[in-house]
């Protein structure tokens, strides 16, 4: 089998209202999809996390290197692309581009062998994944101390057993929001907070000490990704587990994070950190370091499907036992017109549980008409 074409699709959709994390407001959602075709008619889809115009340029530049290559040689092709761009792109958009390509190769591989990707990755430990609701962003209108608890209670009513709150808006405001959300969801629903690296270690430690009393399952991206010493300081100061890694890339980047013991929970993004090939390697390394792995997910149904296949094969957080603690899926509940629309069969949750696709490859079918509606160029 040979690769005959590599195509990129920049998708864009306007939102009905603006939303904000701690760092910026946004009013559109974008996606960058990769389609790889072969001489045997097998087609694979991937997705790149990151700035769509730039990741598309990366994939378009790499595409000629892939024409004529065997798409089943995914590790070998990964290494070839990485080596050719190593001097210029060990992290960031180059690896995000590589990740999208790798996902498409895995989709082809699964379709070629008639097997779901999780089977080719080593076999599913689980076919259903507990999802947590990612939402609780800021709005232009209203009082967050009123609308955040209401939104959180809505997720609990849908069946979610865990929710994640955006923080990073100032320690006092974050503390009030965390308290209000905890009161709204009750004591048995897990609550995580995510500062989107808006703090330095001094502010992060102060916030952590204020919210430890609200039983926070993890404190995500307390400080900027480059500040490994800051991560360590926050981790040492707090009893709350520290999570991060959506801005880290490849086995080489995560090696540094793991060796420095900067994190309790690693969150590589499957569409950013280098694809399924790389994230499986990072996951194996995380297990060896005793670090939990819960992937970051912020994309369309392709990103969700790829993350589900990886989640299916991850080891439990705790050693195998009668009641292991299992990895969980980040399930974005914010507005994203493209997310499910491009799938013939949307990936939805039932009472906070999402089934792992079991069709060949990524187990999804792309609705090309729907996709065409969102193409931005
Ligand atoms: Ca995050």
């Amino acid at each position: 089998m040979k690769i005959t074409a590599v195509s990129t699709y920049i998708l864009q959709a306007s939102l009905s209202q603006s939303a904000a994390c701690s760092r910026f407001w946004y009013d559109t959602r974008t996606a960058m999809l990769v389609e790889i075709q072969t001489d045997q008619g097998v087609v694979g889809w991937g997705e790149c996390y990151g700035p769509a115009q730039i990741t598309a340029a990366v994939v378009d530049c790499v595409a000629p290197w892939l024409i004529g290559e065997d798409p089943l040689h995914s590790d070998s092709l990964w290494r070839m692309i990485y080596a050719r761009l190593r001097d210029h792109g060990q992290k960031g958009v180059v690896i995000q581009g590589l990740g999208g390509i790798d996902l498409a190769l895995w989709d082809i591989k699964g379709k070629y062998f008639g097997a779901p990707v999780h089977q080719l990755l080593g076999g599913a430990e689980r076919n259903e994944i507990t999802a947590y609701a990612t939402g609780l962003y800021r709005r232009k209108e209203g009082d967050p101390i009123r609308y955040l608890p209401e939104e959180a209670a809505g997720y609990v009513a849908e069946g979610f057993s865990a929710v994640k709150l955006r923080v990073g808006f100032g320690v006092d405001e974050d503390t009030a929001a965390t308290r209000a959300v905890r009161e709204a969801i009750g004591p048995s629903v897990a609550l995580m907070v995510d500062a989107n690296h808006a703090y330095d270690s001094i502010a992060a430690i102060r916030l952590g000490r204020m919210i430890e009393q609200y039983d926070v399952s993890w404190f995500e991206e307390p400080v900027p990704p480059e500040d490994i010493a800051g991560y360590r300081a926050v981790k040492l100061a707090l009893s709350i587990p520290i999570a991060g890694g959506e801005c880290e890339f490849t086995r080489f980047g995560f090696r540094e994070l793991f060796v420095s013991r900067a994190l309790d929970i690693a969150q590589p993004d499957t569409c950013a950190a280098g694809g399924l090939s790389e994230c499986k390697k990072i996951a194996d390394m995380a297990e060896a370091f005793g670090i939990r792995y819960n992937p970051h997910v912020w994309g369309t149904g392709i990103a969700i499907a790829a993350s589900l296949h990886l989640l299916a094969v991850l080891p439990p957080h705790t050693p195998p036992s009668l009641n292991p603690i299992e990895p969980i899926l980040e399930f974005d509940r914010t507005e994203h017109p493209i997310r499910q629309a491009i799938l013939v069969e949307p990936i939805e949750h039932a009472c906070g549980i999402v089934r792992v696709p079991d069709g060949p490859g990524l187990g999804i079918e792309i609705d090309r008409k729907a996709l065409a509606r969102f193409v931005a160029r």
Side-chain angles (χ1 to χ4, degrees):
M1 186 161 49
K2 284 188 165 54
I3 295 170
T4 54
V6 179
S7 312
T8 52
Y9 300 87
I10 297 174
L11 310 183
Q12 190 170 316
S14 300
L15 302 182
S16 63
Q17 60 173 336
S18 303
C21 67
S22 58
R23 288 184 298 119
F24 52 85
W25 287 93
Y26 63 93
D27 58 9
T28 55
R29 289 292 292 260
T30 58
M32 213 299 278
L33 307 189
V34 180
E35 179 189 21
I36 298 185
Q37 295 180 0
T38 64
D39 62 355
Q40 297 195 16
V42 184
V43 173
W45 288 90
E47 177 170 353
C48 299
Y49 178 53
Q53 303 282 351
I54 311 180
T55 56
V58 169
V59 174
D60 290 340
C61 286
V62 167
W65 308 345
L66 294 169
I67 305 301
E69 296 290 341
D70 184 342
L72 301 179
H73 294 183
S74 47
D75 257 9
S76 161
L77 293 175
W78 196 101
R79 205 170 288 117
M80 177 271 286
I81 297 168
Y82 184 81
R84 286 180 74 160
L85 293 172
R86 172 179 259 139
D87 293 16
H88 318 285
Q90 296 160 24
K91 299 191 183 202
V93 290
V94 167
I95 305 301
Q96 291 171 331
L98 181 44
I101 292 168
D102 182 76
L103 258 53
L105 296 179
W106 275 96
D107 193 25
I108 290 171
K109 197 187 303 205
K111 288 170 178 167
Y112 178 80
F113 289 115
V117 163
H118 61 72
Q119 197 174 88
L120 301 179
L121 282 171
E125 291 265 341
R126 55 194 76 79
N127 297 305
E128 295 182 333
I129 313 290
T130 300
Y132 69 90
T134 267
L136 304 170
Y137 281 68
R138 294 303 166 94
R139 308 169 192 173
K140 294 272 188 189
E141 306 291 329
D143 178 2
I145 297 303
R146 291 180 67 91
Y147 66 70
L148 291 173
E150 277 174 26
E151 183 184 335
Y155 296 137
V156 176
E158 281 185 65
F160 284 102
S161 56
V163 301
K164 192 164 80 186
L165 169 69
R166 302 299 122 180
V167 294
F169 299 89
V171 169
D172 292 340
E173 188 175 327
D174 290 346
T175 302
T178 307
R179 179 176 57 235
V181 170
R182 171 51 81 200
E183 284 170 359
I185 63 178
S188 60
V189 172
L191 171 61
M192 294 80 88
V193 301
D194 183 353
N196 294 95
H197 56 77
Y199 287 135
D200 66 357
S201 59
I202 297 168
I205 290 168
R206 181 149 184 272
L207 173 62
R209 289 192 172 140
M210 303 281 274
I211 62 174
E212 276 177 329
Q213 60 186 307
Y214 303 120
D215 189 17
V216 175
S217 295
W218 75 60
F219 185 174
E220 179 171 327
E221 290 206 293
V223 298
E226 308 92 324
D227 186 10
I228 292 182
Y231 261 99
R232 279 172 51 79
V234 174
K235 184 169 173 289
L236 287 170
L238 301 179
S239 61
I240 303 171
I242 303 303
E246 67 187 74
C247 304
E248 192 50 81
F249 302 88
T250 78
R251 73 200 87 162
F252 309 114
F254 278 92
R255 176 185 60 193
E256 297 311 306
L257 274 186
F258 293 172
V259 166
S260 63
R261 311 301 303 189
L263 302 168
D264 298 293
I265 300 156
Q267 300 172 300
D269 188 299
T270 315
C271 302
L276 280 162
S277 300
E278 198 63 9
C279 287
K280 178 65 167 71
K281 295 176 175 71
I282 296 166
D284 290 339
M285 199 161 60
E287 185 185 16
F289 276 90
I291 290 168
R292 296 183 180 184
Y293 188 125
N294 283 316
H296 174 259
V297 188
W298 186 253
T300 73
I302 298 174
I304 298 170
S307 306
L308 285 167
H309 285 278
L310 184 71
L311 278 158
V313 306
L314 289 177
H317 290 329
T318 47
S321 65
L322 294 179
N323 291 298
I325 298 174
E326 304 281 3
I328 57 177
L329 170 71
E330 175 164 27
F331 207 53
D332 174 12
R333 307 314 289 154
T334 66
E335 185 181 6
H336 190 336
I338 309 167
R339 185 170 48 223
Q340 302 288 359
I342 60 163
L343 299 184
V344 172
E345 276 184 52
I347 299 174
E348 270 306 344
H349 81 100
C351 283
I353 306 288
V354 180
R355 283 197 61 77
V356 178
D358 54 8
L362 292 176
I364 50 172
E365 194 182 336
I366 300 300
D367 182 337
R368 287 178 183 273
K369 278 190 187 156
L371 186 148
R373 288 208 312 271
F374 298 110
V375 170
R377 61 157 196 198

